[in-house]
Amino acid sequence: MAAQPAMAQSKQLTLCWAAWDPANALVELSKDFTAKSGIGMKFEFVPWTSYADRFLNELNSKGKLCDLIIGDSQWIGGAAENGHYVKLNDFFQREGIRMEDFMPATVTGYSEWPKNTPNYWALPAMGDAIGWTYRKDWFSRPDIKAAFQQKAGRELAPPKTWDELKEVASFFQGREIDGRKVYGAYIYTERGSEGITMGVTNALYAFGFKYEDPKKPYSMQGFVNSADAVKGLEFYKQLYDCCTAPGMTNAYMQEGLDAFKSGQVAMQMNFFAFFPGLYKDPNVGGDKIGFFVNPMQKERGTQLGGQGISVVAYSERRDDALQYIKWFAQPDVQKKWWSLGGYSCHKAVLNDPGFPASAPFAADFLTSMGMVKDFWAEPSYATLLLDMQKRMHDYVIAGQGTAQQALDLLIRDWTKVFKDDGKL
């Protein structure tokens, strides 16, 4: 009898993800799984800056650290084709887990490979997209409102188009508020991993950029470098030049949070995942913060973030890991996941009539998840991403060449990758 507790303790799964607020929520949520199943949970969380390197190396080396992994949406192609993830179709069918119960964009973004086929390698776990925060308290001050009305000839309000966003950002740029100089907008500029790509795409999508000809896969001429795409890229650079804080030449998620929390900026681009924490912030949260969806221009669109949860093919505890997936997929678990600060992708949560009023940013999140677009999820996504990082940073931040040249060069880079992969 004495050995039984020790045997129960020895059943343990390791879940790998990034170190951020939603991961803390998942730790709390997973206590229910352990209580129900007797399976202990261990977590391996690493900072976003090293998340991809750390876990892609783990998968590529067929390591056994992770039984479950919450992997980025762009990894799905490589993970499927290289055999890193367990294919979940038979398991889903056996357990009655229906992909129709999850938001379509999250199934396509986090679970499917090839895209738009019923081949599933993950369960949608953490819905996310780019949204915006703004200083609601500044926007509502009579003196600031009057000054903006006089300058712009319209009422100060959260921007609905990129033109309006630039107008508002320009108005706040260099303005003194409560004895302190502030800046218009915070946008992503980081070069080393994925930052500037995750930022600039929000403008590109809105202006009309597309990755390829929808009728001819991997045919990019006239889509990646269309006249509209050029305008979008030029606009992002104009916004960077006119309306951001000095020194933000290599900045991503954390720098944006710091800039907003410290009262530096009027508006901030960032992932919805951070919004629950910002709303609770003692200095800029509560009544002082507001939220809005990524502005439109010619079209609506926003960069997809978020991840699916997969069973690692090299795990020696596959059955227990699948048990976790089955538990996590339940509607009541998904509802608690949202209440703790995670972003559920389940329709039972998102289509609930009370969802838009369940948090100050819930309605904007729901709107955003209906207009998300994602970067390439090809097995060679890492090379494709680094190509875009270089071309975008060289133009937007370093001021090299023109937007047309940057996008033309990007097509050249990507064409080489797809030729090497035998796709062209």
Side-chain angles (χ1 to χ4, degrees), residues 5-116:
M7 284 175 67
Q9 286 285 347
S10 69
K11 285 195 106 177
Q12 187 179 67
L13 292 170
T14 298
L15 188 152
C16 298
W17 199 13
W20 59 333
D21 287 350
N24 300 329
L26 190 65
V27 172
E28 186 62 31
L29 181 72
S30 298
K31 291 175 183 176
D32 292 349
F33 172 74
T34 298
K36 187 174 181 181
S37 67
I39 300 169
M41 293 298 295
K42 185 181 173 189
F43 299 90
E44 188 75 19
F45 299 148
V46 300
W48 275 112
T49 47
S50 51
Y51 163 75
D53 285 345
R54 175 72 180 86
F55 291 131
L56 289 176
N57 286 339
E58 180 69 22
L59 293 172
N60 289 330
S61 65
K62 301 185 178 181
K64 296 180 179 179
L65 168 67
C66 310
D67 301 302
L68 292 153
I69 191 163
I70 300 184
D72 240 346
S73 56
Q74 295 105 334
W75 302 0
I76 201 84
E81 293 193 12
N82 295 319
H84 297 328
Y85 291 171
V86 173
K87 191 173 184 181
L88 296 173
N89 287 53
D90 291 345
F91 169 71
F92 285 167
Q93 189 168 6
R94 188 168 66 246
E95 299 295 344
I97 297 169
R98 296 166 6 106
M99 288 292 95
E100 295 84 4
D101 292 338
F102 293 82
M103 287 285 277
T106 69
V107 175
T108 302
Y110 309 148
S111 302
E112 292 178 353
W113 188 261
K115 294 297 177 192
N116 303 306

Side-chain angles (χ1 to χ4, degrees), residues 23 65 78 84 90-92 113 142 178 195 202 230 244 248 280 283 293 316 328 344 346 383 387 423-424:
L65 168 67
H84 297 328
D90 291 345
F91 169 71
F92 285 167
W113 188 261
D178 298 331
N202 296 285
V230 169
T244 60
M248 291 288 185
K280 293 174 187 170
N283 297 317
V293 299
E316 294 172 347
F328 187 73
S344 175
H346 203 291
T383 306
D387 288 340
K423 303 272 174 87
L424 282 173

